[in-house]
Amino acid sequence: MKPILMCDLDDVITKGCFLKLLNRLFQTNYAEEDICTYHVEDILEAPEDRVKFMNYVMDVNFYSHTELMEDAKEVLERLNQKYELYICTMALLSCGVKRIGELLMYKNEFLLKELPFIKEEQHIYIANKSLVKANIRIDDKLENLEGDGEIKLLYSAYHNREYTDVFLKEKGVRRVSSWKEIEKILLS
């Protein structure tokens, strides 16, 4: 039996569309260095701007504005052969049932188009990722690495850069910054 590998989608396999859309909508020039929280929209001071941004993101289908991380497709294709690979991505947002359905449809369409070798049965949409049993976990949010797993990889992102290597080691987590690093760890 192959080991189970759980991999996040946003900010792990895909990159940068949230900030790009925020800058487009508000005609700003924020960079990743300006953001230190998980939600890009937290940089906006006015609550109504945050709501406007979330509505905009859903209305434009942000997956049509995102792209794959460098080397992600090739490495994932190889990982899919060696491991029982699942794309495990957040399903619940506080934007209403209709919007959640649209988001899941957009995510599914993106995955089928960009990573056709990963079957729909390998897509998991869930709010609490610790419920998923996996030998290996890859995510950009530290909380999503909780639960079982012999290998836990935190993909570097603007919102997790404050974690030191010492802190991550205490948590049993290793930081990675590229798909080539993941390849070395999991395919060597």
Side-chain angles (χ1 to χ4, degrees):
M1 182 176 215
K2 294 179 180 179
I4 297 170
L5 191 162
M6 179 193 90
C7 185
D8 183 34
L9 177 61
D10 302 309
D11 294 321
V12 175
I13 296 173
T14 64
K15 66 177 174 180
C17 75
F18 296 107
L19 185 57
K20 182 174 24 174
L21 291 173
L22 185 138
N23 281 329
R24 180 186 299 166
L25 176 64
F26 294 103
Q27 298 180 355
T28 53
N29 291 310
Y30 291 116
E32 283 189 3
E33 296 77 33
D34 300 321
I35 302 163
C36 56
T37 64
Y38 183 71
H39 298 283
V40 171
E41 67 273 14
D42 288 346
I43 202 166
L44 302 170
E45 292 182 24
E48 60 271 14
D49 285 346
R50 290 185 202 115
V51 171
K52 181 179 179 181
F53 174 69
M54 289 309 297
N55 287 334
Y56 176 69
V57 164
M58 293 304 292
D59 287 342
V60 298
N61 175 7
F62 61 86
Y63 283 100
S64 65
H65 297 272
T66 194
E67 56 190 79
L68 294 173
M69 293 279 192
E70 186 176 352
D71 302 312
K73 185 172 187 171
E74 297 78 16
V75 174
L76 281 165
E77 191 160 16
R78 291 182 57 215
L79 290 170
N80 194 42
Q81 295 169 6
K82 182 174 180 177
Y83 298 97
E84 191 174 329
L85 173 64
Y86 293 94
I87 305 303
C88 191
T89 184
M90 292 298 282
L92 297 179
L93 296 174
S94 57
C95 57
V97 174
K98 181 179 183 243
R99 296 284 171 125
I100 293 168
E102 291 172 352
L103 175 63
L104 295 180
M105 180 182 70
Y106 297 151
K107 284 185 180 214
N108 194 60
E109 288 172 352
F110 178 85
L111 285 167
L112 292 173
K113 178 184 175 199
E114 298 297 330
L115 305 171
F117 52 88
I118 299 175
K119 299 175 185 158
E120 279 184 283
E121 298 83 35
Q122 294 170 267
H123 303 175
I124 298 174
Y125 304 101
I126 192 166
N128 183 351
K129 294 182 183 182
S130 70
L131 298 174
V132 177
K133 184 174 176 60
N135 304 96
I136 303 163
R137 296 174 176 274
I138 306 171
D139 209 295
D140 62 302
K141 190 171 183 184
L142 187 60
E143 295 82 15
N144 291 336
L145 294 172
E146 292 176 4
D148 59 348
E150 295 127 41
I151 300 173
K152 297 178 181 185
L153 303 176
L154 180 71
Y155 202 95
S156 287
Y158 56 88
H159 56 82
N160 67 32
R161 63 180 169 243
E162 79 277 4
Y163 299 131
T164 65
D165 289 339
V166 171
F167 174 78
L168 292 176
K169 188 175 183 178
E170 289 171 2
K171 296 276 188 185
V173 173
R174 181 174 173 182
R175 182 183 295 278
V176 292
S177 298
S178 72
W179 278 92
K180 286 295 185 185
E181 281 185 68
I182 293 171
E183 181 179 44
K184 285 180 186 175
I185 294 167
L186 300 178
L187 292 169
S188 294

